[in-house]
Amino acid sequence: MTTSIPIELHPVEDVSAQSAYDAVISSREALAPWMHWLTPSYSLRDQQAFQSRSAVLRGAGLEFNYGIVDASGQVLGICGLHRMDMLHATSEAGYWVRSDHWRRGIARRAVTALLRRAFREHALARVELIIDCDNAPSLALADALQLRREARLGQRLFRDGQRRDAWLCAATRYEWLQAVAG
């Protein structure tokens, strides 16, 4: 039985870029199929630029990225709210966890904390995850968190030089808070 590692979400611009980069590189092979930004030339400079952009976007209220960190400050992954639509109070969410920490409940706890922030701190009404139909672990997580699979989106993603179908999974504020309170 694996011990649960305590995690916290910190604004990504406040975490160590080196630790975040190390997490990406240590998991390159496992993450590359799902992360379009993870090119063979991805560098520490790219990680630093992402974190700098994240600070600007957070300041403008357009995007909220968080480092998933353990008690020592090691970055175990990243999660965030993207494509914020404040008129309709909706957002898309995304996440990744370094592969040597998979199957320890980290993604589940991070996404749960992210949804809690989305609905309480950001007053969003709806959060969507767009998940490649072949990404069985992410679909299983969405199911475990009781996100609704609302639609199969034809050719929604581009991966490996091909258009790919994806599932639109969603949580609404009302349903999420009811489930948490219940």
Side-chain angles (χ1 to χ4, degrees):
M1 180 175 185
T2 326
T3 310
S4 180
I5 298 171
I7 62 161
E8 293 183 356
L9 301 187
H10 295 279
V12 76
E13 57 271 22
D14 294 342
V15 302
S16 161
Q18 184 66 56
S19 182
Y21 176 72
D22 292 345
V24 170
I25 297 308
S26 74
S27 305
R28 180 189 297 273
E29 188 174 318
L31 296 176
W34 318 113
M35 306 296 162
H36 71 279
W37 49 265
L38 185 49
T39 64
S41 63
Y42 192 81
S43 67
L44 177 59
R45 176 176 242 134
D46 294 318
Q47 181 63 40
Q48 292 165 331
F50 165 71
Q51 291 182 226
S52 293
R53 279 191 313 275
S54 291
V56 171
L57 293 169
R58 179 182 304 277
L62 298 174
E63 194 167 292
F64 298 89
N65 293 302
Y66 299 95
I68 305 165
V69 299
D70 67 12
S72 73
Q74 179 186 26
V75 176
L76 305 179
I78 305 283
C79 63
L81 299 169
H82 316 103
R83 296 184 178 91
M84 301 286 287
D85 179 345
M86 295 317 293
L87 176 63
H88 298 287
T90 63
S91 177
E92 184 179 324
Y95 71 93
W96 62 267
V97 172
R98 60 184 296 150
S99 59
D100 60 349
H101 282 69
W102 286 1
R103 294 174 194 63
R104 296 183 187 185
I106 292 168
R108 183 182 184 133
R109 287 180 283 131
V111 173
T112 298
L114 182 65
L115 290 171
R116 186 177 302 115
R117 286 181 185 212
F119 296 131
R120 292 188 174 152
E121 293 175 25
H122 301 295
L124 294 175
R126 175 183 172 87
V127 175
E128 300 172 345
L129 277 79
I130 309 293
I131 303 172
D132 188 302
C133 289
D134 290 338
N135 191 340
S138 287
L139 289 169
L141 176 61
D143 291 343
L145 293 175
Q146 299 179 357
L147 276 65
R148 204 173 334 101
R149 286 195 197 189
E150 293 185 340
R152 185 175 175 131
L153 307 174
Q155 299 186 15
R156 172 60 174 81
L157 301 173
F158 187 75
R159 176 169 67 93
D160 297 332
Q162 300 177 18
R163 300 303 309 179
R164 310 282 304 177
D165 289 359
W167 280 103
L168 168 62
C169 301
T172 65
R173 182 178 194 270
Y174 177 78
E175 291 169 340
W176 182 260
L177 294 179
Q178 289 296 109
V180 170

